[in-house]
Amino acid sequence: GAGVSQSPSNKVTEKGKDVELRCDPISGHTALYWYRQSLGQGLEFLIYFQGNSAPDKSGLPSDRFSAERTGGSVSTLTIQRTQQEDSAVYLCASSLDRGQFRVQFFGPGTRLTVL
Amino acid sequence: DQQVKQNSPSLSVQEGRISILNCDYTNSMFDYFLWYKKYPAEGPTFLISISSIKDKNEDGRFTVFLNKSAKHLSLHIVPSQPGDSAVYFCAATDQGAQKLVFGQGTRLTINP
C-alpha cells in the first residue's frame, strides 16, 4: 500500500518482557517519527529520524526505550523490561522533508498492553 | 507544561450546522499548525494546515483560522456531516523542532 504501515496491530505482553514495534514509512519519505497515545491523552512525541542525521530522542520517557532506522526506511521501536505504564497506542508517522512539506502521515498504530 | 491546549473535550453539533473546534498555544516559536482527525482504532488523518504567515486556509468544508496575537486557532466545518464524528487533534510545530506538539483532542459528535 501507499501509506505508513505498522506491525503488529496489537501486542499483549507480560510486565518485564521486551517488545519490538515495527514501522514501514511511505516510500521516499525521509523523516520518520514515533509518538504514543496513552488512554485519554493526546499524542506524545517520542523520537524523530531525518535522513542520516542523528535522531532527536528528546521524547523518549526512559532508557528502556530505544529506536533505530535501518537503511533510511524501516524503523523499530524497542521497549525493554516493559512496565504497565507503557501500555498505549504507539503511532509512527513519516513526512517528505523539512520546510513546506511538513505534513506528517500516520500509520494505524500498535496497541500495546502490558499485563 | 502543555504548549497546545484544546479546552473542550467534547462537542455535539446538529447535522448541517457549523462545527467550531478551538485550540490555544503558548509557544510563540510555533510557525505551522495542523488539524488531524482520528477514528477509533485508526491513526490520525491529516485534515488541513496553516502557516503562521496566513490567517486563514480553506479546503472544501474545512476552514482553519489563525489569530497569532491571541495564540489561538480554530477549525470550522460547514456543513457538518455524520461522517465528521471523530476526535480532532490540533498540532503545532516550529521549523527547528520538526516534531508535532498535539493538543488533547476534542471528540466531535454530529447528531442527525
Side-chain angles (χ1 to χ4, degrees):
Chain A
V4 177
S5 61
Q6 293 185 245
S7 60
S9 55
N10 281 284
K11 177 72 177 179
V12 180
T13 191
E14 294 179 348
K15 177 181 173 181
K17 295 286 181 72
D18 298 351
V19 295
E20 283 189 354
L21 312 179
R22 177 187 167 104
C23 171
D24 282 274
I26 293 172
S27 178
H29 279 193
T30 57
L32 186 148
Y33 312 77
W34 283 97
Y35 296 84
R36 73 174 176 182
Q37 184 180 18
S38 303
L39 189 63
Q41 301 296 313
L43 283 79
E44 172 191 8
F45 167 77
L46 297 176
I47 188 169
Y48 157 60
F49 296 90
Q50 171 62 44
N52 295 320
S53 302
D56 176 356
K57 304 180 182 179
S58 60
L60 294 179
S62 78
D63 58 7
R64 295 186 296 104
F65 288 72
S66 63
E68 62 177 21
R69 188 177 185 192
T70 54
S73 181
V74 171
S75 177
T76 302
L77 177 69
T78 301
I79 309 174
Q80 296 178 310
R81 304 181 302 283
T82 52
Q83 303 295 312
Q84 289 183 331
E85 60 263 28
D86 300 334
S87 295
V89 176
Y90 288 81
L91 291 153
C92 176
S94 69
S95 69
L96 194 59
D97 208 337
R98 297 171 181 265
Q100 61 179 319
F101 303 111
R102 280 190 275 164
V103 175
Q104 296 180 22
F105 296 89
F106 283 82
T110 294
R111 180 175 296 277
L112 174 66
T113 303
V114 182
L115 301 177
Chain B
D1 176 27
Q2 199 172 340
Q3 299 184 69
V4 178
K5 296 180 184 179
Q6 293 176 256
N7 291 318
S8 298
S10 63
L11 177 67
S12 186
V13 174
Q14 192 171 1
E15 181 179 0
R17 299 290 186 99
I18 183 170
S19 296
I20 300 176
L21 297 102
N22 293 303
C23 178
D24 297 292
Y25 62 96
T26 58
N27 189 341
S28 57
M29 295 298 292
F30 288 148
D31 63 351
Y32 193 63
F33 304 88
L34 307 90
W35 284 94
Y36 284 84
K37 173 181 178 179
K38 188 179 184 302
Y39 293 118
E42 294 184 12
T45 301
F46 170 71
L47 207 52
I48 192 169
S49 63
I50 188 167
S51 165
S52 60
I53 62 174
K54 296 185 175 181
D55 54 19
K56 176 183 175 181
N57 189 26
E58 188 173 355
D59 183 2
R61 296 185 299 114
F62 303 92
T63 303
V64 56
F65 295 92
L66 175 63
N67 182 334
K68 289 189 291 294
S69 60
K71 293 191 177 65
H72 177 84
L73 64 157
S74 61
L75 174 68
H76 293 210
I77 307 172
V78 55
S80 300
Q81 299 174 354
D84 296 331
S85 295
V87 177
Y88 288 77
F89 289 97
C90 166
T93 185
D94 71 75
Q95 197 160 4
Q98 294 301 310
K99 67 183 181 184
L100 292 176
V101 180
F102 283 86
Q104 300 295 90
T106 296
R107 180 177 301 279
L108 176 64
T109 302
I110 306 301
N111 301 308

